[in-house]
Amino acid sequence: MTSIASVTLEVADPAAADRFYNAAFGLGDRLRLRASETPTSGFRGFTLSLVVAQPADVDALLDAAVQAGATTLKPAAKSLWGYGGVVQAPDGTIWQLASSSKKNTGPATRRVDEFVLLLGVEDVKASKQFYVEHGLAVGKSFGGKYVEFATEGPVKLALYKRRGLAKVAGVSPDGTGSHRLTITGDAGPFTDPDGFAWTTASENASV
């Protein structure tokens, strides 16, 4: 089974981004940072999702992120699927914070149960086939709207239609330039049909 070890965000100021992420989420080696001035504007075509056990944990992470400098895109609220909100980090990355539970069962923590990379793609079925051909197994699939892969390791991967993912994030789907994202996993190296780059752990270490 394919393993995804980490995602690397390309940011203008790695030191500032490191301070933000340590204060807000504390994700350790799952999230890496690299200096980049590559042009990018608008929606970068992906979001990162932190799945937690209960609404209080969502609120704790949201509060920590905002206090560290994030901008709220969608305040935390209940929905059909659970409870969640969306923030944008100072470097521009969009983060979804979510729980499938609508009720608290204990004191708030900041423990993250799942770290999910959601790629917004133009053609979900075509991208799904591309990833299957590169060795990823499908875990869940909902036609041309959403695909979740059965991956091992600290990072999970899902595909969403780009316009739909932007709507979930509360932003316009328009965007140009670099994704400012590299995925490190044992399926790479390659670049997918939507321009998302994969690398191996050894290659990432040498950059």
Side-chain angles (χ1 to χ4, degrees), residues 99-184:
S99 172
S100 60
S101 173
K102 298 180 184 181
K103 293 184 178 181
N104 292 318
T105 56
T109 72
R110 289 169 59 189
R111 186 171 72 87
V112 174
D113 293 333
E114 291 185 355
F115 180 30
V116 186
L117 169 61
L118 293 117
L119 300 181
V121 301
E122 291 301 326
D123 187 330
V124 172
K125 290 183 177 179
S127 292
K128 170 187 171 182
Q129 183 60 33
F130 174 87
Y131 278 107
V132 167
E133 290 173 357
H134 282 77
L136 278 76
V138 174
K140 298 177 183 177
S141 181
F142 299 94
K145 294 183 178 181
Y146 178 81
V147 175
E148 184 178 300
F149 293 100
T151 56
E152 291 182 334
V155 183
K156 294 183 177 295
L157 177 68
L159 305 178
Y160 215 115
K161 198 159 184 65
R162 180 187 172 98
R163 188 167 293 275
L165 184 60
K167 184 177 181 179
V168 169
V171 298
S172 166
D174 298 329
T176 61
S178 173
H179 293 301
R180 289 207 178 181
L181 173 78
T182 301
I183 305 158
T184 300

Side-chain angles (χ1 to χ4, degrees), residues 43 45-49 93-96 116-120 165-166 169:
F43 183 46
F46 74 94
T47 68
L48 291 166
S49 180
T93 304
I94 295 173
W95 293 81
Q96 298 182 56
V116 186
L117 169 61
L118 293 117
L119 300 181
L165 184 60

